[in-house]
Amino acid sequence: MVFSNKVTISDIAKALNVSQSTVSRALSGKGRISEATRKRVYDYIEDHNFTLSNFANKFAQPKNFTIGVVLPAEQNLVELPFFQGVLLGICESAATLDYDVIVITSQGNDISSLVRIIDRSKVDGIILTRSLVHDLPAEFLKGKNIPFVVIGSTKEKNITEIDNDHQEACRELISILAMKGIKNFGLIGGDTEHIVTGRRYQGFLEGLEQNSIDMDSEMIFTNVNSQLLIDHAVKKLMENKADCIICMDDFLCTSVLAVLSNEGYRIPEDIKVASFYNSSYLEKYSPPITALNFNVKELGTTACKALIEEIHGGISGNKILLNYEVVLKQSTK
């Protein structure tokens, strides 16, 4: 909502110490709001001689006070802690802002569930929880002019992104390990269609370059998406006398650790292991695994707040990078 002297919904919400959605509900006459609160909003407008601008009315009238969250339908059990943490952050933040949440699943290039929700005007905006190189959900939402944000990074322009600084985190971890004397790294990574894989790979290369380490292409395995490929990658890295196996995520790391254990290798005596992503699964492993810690719940909280601001007329295209923590443990001693 824009007023004649450029006052926004956000300005009124701050002045009255209420949420932006509360102001929107008061102005639209829709949703859960008391008459006392509605009167406070209109009294404030009248007292300050503000005039509603009808052509901008769309910013004050979300139809549903509901946002949608798109989760990948193909996620496996090990990925669940990440998406559960993100969803928890979104739901808690949405509740404080008087919004409800609808969960939508999308498998690969099948975005039919998302299309149906949008075509039926079920939500005021969308949070995408996975970013892809060829991002059909993002392309669809841009075409529909629907407010949305992405958890992760995207190649689409003018989209709000909420992400951890994966590239810098991976660069720092590799640099620390290199300074500890590790020179012959092996890398096992997942789907290169996922943008986070590319960010982590770039950080890995930067860490090597910073420490003047040349990397043999035979020590790099990407698109490792089956147990057979994991077995093959570990076998080759051990044959090539890797000092340390770097796994791009916790799922790959748990699988690599299982293969090494089955083959009788000791960690860290025979081979060191580290992961570019930590989870509760790795925290249970003995010896403890060196990994990067990210606050997953904060991703969800920040994404939800950014989306609701955008729904109420905020500017899209912000790039928000959250912090990380390098945790060195026994697996790389």
Side-chain angles (χ1 to χ4, degrees), residues 314-325:
I315 298 173
S316 62
N318 296 316
K319 315 293 182 185
I320 303 173
L321 286 179
L322 304 181
N323 291 328
Y324 62 87
E325 181 184 13

Side-chain angles (χ1 to χ4, degrees), residues 166-305:
H166 293 280
Q167 190 165 321
E168 175 61 19
C170 296
R171 183 209 60 77
E172 183 176 344
L173 176 55
I174 295 303
S175 291
I176 290 172
L177 295 179
M179 287 187 287
K180 288 169 62 69
I182 297 173
K183 299 299 180 185
N184 194 21
F185 289 93
L187 179 70
I188 300 179
D191 193 342
T192 53
E193 180 67 14
H194 298 164
I195 288 183
V196 67
T197 300
R199 294 283 191 269
R200 289 171 177 170
Y201 182 60
Q202 188 60 39
F204 174 76
L205 295 179
E206 288 177 1
L208 296 178
E209 182 179 1
Q210 184 175 331
N211 292 275
S212 302
I213 298 175
D214 293 326
M215 188 73 182
D216 191 327
S217 60
E218 291 187 356
M219 303 294 282
I220 299 175
F221 296 84
T222 56
N223 291 306
V224 178
N225 53 19
S226 70
Q227 189 60 54
L228 184 63
L229 290 176
I230 292 171
D231 292 345
H232 173 73
V234 171
K235 178 182 178 182
K236 287 297 183 182
L237 291 177
M238 296 308 294
E239 288 177 355
N240 292 333
K241 302 188 183 305
D243 297 327
C244 180
I245 297 178
I246 302 294
C247 304
M248 280 201 182
D249 59 49
D250 53 336
F251 167 66
L252 286 170
C253 193
T254 55
S255 298
V256 166
L257 292 170
V259 174
L260 291 171
S261 177
N262 289 338
E263 294 297 322
Y265 293 109
R266 299 167 301 160
I267 301 169
E269 293 85 356
D270 300 324
I271 182 70
K272 303 180 192 304
V273 177
S275 174
F276 281 160
Y277 181 77
N278 195 17
S279 74
S280 57
Y281 292 99
L282 290 183
E283 289 172 355
K284 298 174 183 177
Y285 195 85
S286 181
I289 304 300
T290 289
L292 295 171
N293 274 353
F294 302 102
N295 189 330
V296 176
K297 185 178 175 182
E298 186 183 9
L299 283 173
T301 299
T302 306
C304 182
K305 291 178 180 177

